[in-house]
Amino acid sequence: MSFQILLNLFLAFLWMFLSSNYSVSRFIIGYLLGILVILALRKFFKSRLYIDQLWAVVKLTILFIKELILANISVLKLVIQPKLQLQPAFFKYDTVLKEEWEITLLSSLITLTPGTVVVHVSDDSKSLFIHVIDSNDIDETIDSIKNSFEKAILEVSRS
Amino acid sequence: MKINNVILQFTAKIVFFMIFFYAVHIFFAGHYTPGGGFVGGLVTASAIVLLIIAFDLKTVQSILPINYIYLIASGLLLALGTAGIAMFTGKPFFTHFFDYFNLPILGKTSLHTAALFDLGVYLVVVGVTMTIIQTIGEDE
């Protein structure tokens, strides 16, 4: 992954030196050509293509924005009810993520989607303790959301 | 009883660099726009304090093995030296010099000895803030 980015930068600089024109546009052209070369020779790399990983990050961002809007609308529906019929609850969510940044990202995503707040990470970093605003019917949907987030994060970190 | 602070610690690691970069930016912005050595020093100290909050005092001291007392002394020496240079050229104390130089990458840049004085202020502010916080924090 990092080797591929370095190689791509090296190819871009090489393109600049070959054309002896040291401008930003030249560099960008060289970089795009480098992407093409790396795509063509993807069988030589043992790890994934970094463009693939970048695409996973973009997909995760789009998913997050979508979930943010949907969850805000659902919380709005809860708030403007004439009679509050909320059942707040804590529940434990077992995660399969291991890295620090993965757990932090997942917790931030869960916290930023309204209705759920991560209050604690267990000492062995294997489960998150989540406070949910309404446990009546949301438990299953929330679990599906978590699976979508967790899947997307795993998609990013897959080597 | 050690609590798992994985989210706070990871975020502090990332945010530390952002705050430090902002401090450097605000330090160099001091001549024409709001900012300068004092604010930059305080922001830098706040970045280190964030690390101390997320981890603990001993860990941060092993990561950044800086003796802040020496930092204060070097900052004062730098400020005094910048002010004293003018006396050797026959100008009054605290006369600043500046000129325009053509640097290889940055192009035409104005270099001013006031920036060195500001660097002295910066070092003193970082040193004093960190000394105060460390001496209070170490009190068992």
Side-chain angles (χ1 to χ4, degrees), chain A residues 100-101 103-104 107 120-123 125, chain B residues 1-4 6-7 9-11 13:
Chain A
E100 266 189 11
W101 67 268
I103 291 167
T104 309
S107 311
H120 184 63
V121 183
S122 73
D123 287 351
S125 299
Chain B
M1 181 63 202
K2 197 176 169 305
I3 304 169
N4 188 3
V6 60
I7 298 173
Q9 286 176 355
F10 180 78
T11 317
K13 274 184 227 166

Side-chain angles (χ1 to χ4, degrees), chain A residues 52-65 152 155:
Chain A
D52 204 18
Q53 223 147 351
L54 216 59
W55 179 238
V57 172
V58 171
K59 275 203 293 200
L60 178 64
T61 314
I62 290 168
L63 174 80
F64 167 66
I65 291 168
E155 192 62 37

Side-chain angles (χ1 to χ4, degrees), chain B residues 20 25 49 54 85 91 111 115 140:
Chain B
F20 184 71
H25 161 77
V49 169
I85 283 173
K91 296 240 168 49
L111 293 181
E140 286 299 330

